[in-house]
Amino acid sequence: MNFNFSHYEAQIWLTVIAFVIFWLLRFITHRLIKRFASLSKKTERRSNLIKKYVDIFLSTFLIIFIPLVWGVDSKSIFGYLTALTAFIGVALFAQWSILSNVTAGVVMFFSFPYKIGDKIRIQDKDFPIEARIEDIRAFHTMLLTTDGEYISYPNSLFLQKSVVILDQEE
């Protein structure tokens, strides 16, 4: 069996270039996230979570691009992607709270004025909460009350309620 590389030279180069661009973008965004996290005193765990989101986003584009380079019929790819997107959209719409908490987690990473260790009060008419922020995760924030109770508070509610900083960790 004799394989002729010259017949596929353009596809090979485009694939190599796509992977190089992917790794460069990944490297640059990871460095920017790390720098932002250190400047705003975010934890490594939180910055790693945002890095995972970026990796998923970049990988999706790479997975779409490579088959197109190798001549796979774009109509069949886009038909498949449309069906997949519709399926995921319906599933996420059914689970909108999960999607809203993940989105709120990303927003909180970049513009959240509170950090782990801050003592806060959540202004809720029915259930006011006074606690210290123990951890900020993808879907929820862990709070520790003065009574020693752990509360898992959804990230989306953090963005909807008024929050007062009582004692800020330095």
Side-chain angles (χ1 to χ4, degrees):
M1 183 170 158
N2 193 5
F3 187 75
N4 188 358
F5 282 105
S6 63
H7 183 67
Y8 297 105
E9 187 175 350
Q11 290 91 341
I12 292 170
W13 279 110
L14 284 172
T15 301
V16 169
I17 290 168
F19 275 102
V20 168
I21 290 172
F22 168 81
W23 286 107
L24 279 172
L25 285 173
R26 185 177 182 273
F27 176 77
I28 291 168
T29 55
H30 281 218
R31 294 282 301 234
L32 289 172
I33 291 167
K34 186 176 181 178
R35 182 175 296 149
F36 178 82
S38 67
L39 289 174
S40 59
K41 298 179 182 169
K42 306 288 184 191
T43 63
E44 187 174 338
R45 174 191 261 172
R46 294 207 47 222
S47 62
N48 287 339
L49 182 66
I50 299 300
K51 288 176 187 176
K52 282 183 189 177
Y53 293 156
V54 167
D55 287 348
I56 290 169
F57 182 74
L58 291 174
S59 297
T60 301
F61 280 110
L62 187 66
I63 289 169
I64 292 170
F65 183 75
I66 298 299
L68 293 175
V69 166
W70 285 91
V72 175
D73 181 28
S74 63
K75 289 180 183 177
S76 63
I77 288 177
F78 288 119
Y80 172 74
L81 289 175
T82 302
L84 183 64
T85 304
F87 176 74
I88 290 172
V90 168
L92 288 177
F93 182 73
Q95 296 297 325
W96 69 269
S97 64
I98 292 173
L99 181 61
S100 67
N101 283 322
V102 169
T103 305
V106 172
V107 169
M108 288 167 58
F109 178 79
F110 288 107
S111 65
F112 201 52
Y114 328 106
K115 58 185 176 299
I116 294 172
D118 289 351
K119 187 174 181 183
I120 60 166
R121 181 175 54 240
I122 300 171
Q123 308 283 57
D124 189 336
K125 186 175 112 180
D126 298 325
F127 302 104
I129 298 172
E130 195 168 299
R132 189 162 302 278
I133 298 175
E134 290 291 309
D135 195 9
I136 302 170
R137 299 181 181 166
F139 301 107
H140 60 276
T141 299
M142 293 302 298
L143 305 172
L144 178 62
T145 66
T146 54
D147 298 333
E149 294 180 315
Y150 279 98
I151 298 173
S152 174
Y153 201 76
N155 288 339
S156 61
L157 289 181
F158 246 111
L159 298 179
Q160 296 173 14
K161 305 285 182 181
S162 296
V163 179
V164 177
I165 299 173
L166 300 174
D167 178 27
Q168 199 161 33
E169 185 82 10
E170 293 299 322

